[in-house]
Amino acid sequence: AQKVTQAQTEISVVEKEDVTLDCVYETRDTTYYLFWYKQPPSGELVFLIRRNSFDEQNEISGRYSWNFQKSTSSFNFTITASQVVDSAVYFCALGIQGAQKLVFGQGTRLTINP
Amino acid sequence: DAGVIQSPRHEVTEMGQEVTLRCKPISGHDYLFWYRQTMMRGLELLIYFNNNVPIDDSGMPEDRFSAKMPNASFSTLKIQPSEPRDSAVYFCASSLTSGGVGQETQYFGPGTRLLVL
């Protein structure tokens, strides 16, 4: 069975601090896909990144970076120099080739205080 | 390009009334998903379609819920009769078909916030 664990239910930091959101996944499949979504207070779910299991290169997009480590089954998300606009709930998700659905974590609520 | 479009954005209704939620997927996407989000249960997949055909409706909570996709650009989720426990945010999402459900990125609409009194 597949599972995604986001152990941090809530995180609160002061603006400009760096913050890392953890995502640990479980699967026995060798081909799988990992996703991060952002849900700001307005409610929509915004796609951030997709990574396949064969690409372990870390990714950087502006202040966002993702660290994929198969050895620890983790796909962590770091925001550098956080801003108030980064306040949102962030979801990590796992997709298995041939599966019927994505498996979502429970989400981490991130609050950036001015 | 337009994203996934959902209507209405907010719906308040009384118990027992019929509720219809609407979705227009991204043009060219072959998969369409309906999700429900609540505080207690998180994000749940209700049903999904591939090329307008329902593939998996195992997440539909009860017979009061039904979904249709009459063409590639339109889908509805209907609740009849509605109950207070149906109050939630309902999301529609779409994706390309090439890699299957587990492989492709799902793009979500803005959601419909439903309140059943």
Side-chain angles (χ1 to χ4, degrees):
Chain A
Q2 292 79 40
K3 184 178 179 182
V4 174
T5 301
Q6 295 181 257
Q8 305 151 307
T9 305
E10 295 191 28
I11 301 175
S12 181
V13 300
V14 177
E15 198 172 20
K16 298 184 183 177
E17 286 186 12
D18 298 347
V19 57
T20 296
L21 282 62
D22 298 333
C23 173
V24 174
Y25 61 92
E26 296 177 28
T27 179
R28 292 183 178 178
D29 290 75
T30 56
T31 302
Y32 52 89
Y33 303 83
L34 295 162
F35 305 82
W36 276 95
Y37 287 87
K38 174 183 180 180
Q39 187 172 36
S42 51
E44 70 272 25
L45 274 160
V46 179
F47 164 71
L48 295 178
I49 190 171
R50 168 183 177 269
R51 177 53 52 87
N52 73 59
S53 56
F54 299 107
D55 183 2
E56 289 193 70
Q57 278 194 330
N58 291 332
E59 175 121 359
I60 298 175
S61 176
R63 296 183 297 105
Y64 293 176
S65 62
W66 289 269
N67 182 6
F68 178 27
Q69 290 196 338
K70 291 178 76 170
S71 60
T72 56
S73 297
S74 64
F75 187 43
N76 296 337
F77 172 33
T78 297
I79 301 174
T80 303
S82 61
Q83 299 177 2
V84 173
V85 293
D86 296 326
S87 296
V89 180
Y90 291 86
F91 292 93
C92 181
L94 169 67
I96 306 300
Q97 197 166 24
Q100 297 289 337
K101 63 180 182 180
L102 294 182
V103 177
F104 283 85
Q106 285 300 102
T108 296
R109 181 176 299 276
L110 176 64
T111 301
I112 310 298
N113 299 297
Chain B
D1 286 342
V4 176
I5 299 172
Q6 290 187 246
S7 65
R9 295 293 307 276
H10 298 88
E11 178 81 27
V12 180
T13 190
E14 293 188 347
M15 183 174 64
Q17 296 298 307
E18 178 179 294
V19 176
T20 299
L21 311 181
R22 297 172 176 80
C23 175
K24 176 179 170 57
I26 294 172
S27 178
H29 281 191
D30 300 289
Y31 279 104
L32 184 139
F33 307 84
W34 283 101
Y35 287 87
R36 179 172 66 175
Q37 186 181 39
T38 61
M39 290 294 293
M40 291 296 294
R41 302 175 68 92
L43 201 59
E44 302 174 275
L45 177 65
L46 300 178
I47 184 172
Y48 78 90
F49 296 81
N50 182 212
N51 291 319
N52 314 335
V53 176
I55 303 300
D56 184 355
D57 66 354
S58 60
M60 295 285 262
E62 342 180 348
D63 292 345
R64 298 184 296 105
F65 286 70
S66 62
K68 294 182 180 179
M69 192 165 185
N71 57 63
S73 59
F74 183 66
S75 177
T76 59
L77 177 68
K78 185 176 294 186
I79 308 173
Q80 166 63 20
S82 57
E83 297 183 3
R85 58 192 168 126
D86 301 330
S87 298
V89 181
Y90 290 82
F91 287 101
C92 176
S94 70
S95 74
L96 292 168
T97 194
S98 58
V101 173
Q103 180 174 343
E104 297 297 337
T105 298
Q106 295 182 22
Y107 294 90
F108 286 76
T112 295
R113 189 174 297 273
L114 173 65
L115 177 61
V116 183
L117 302 174

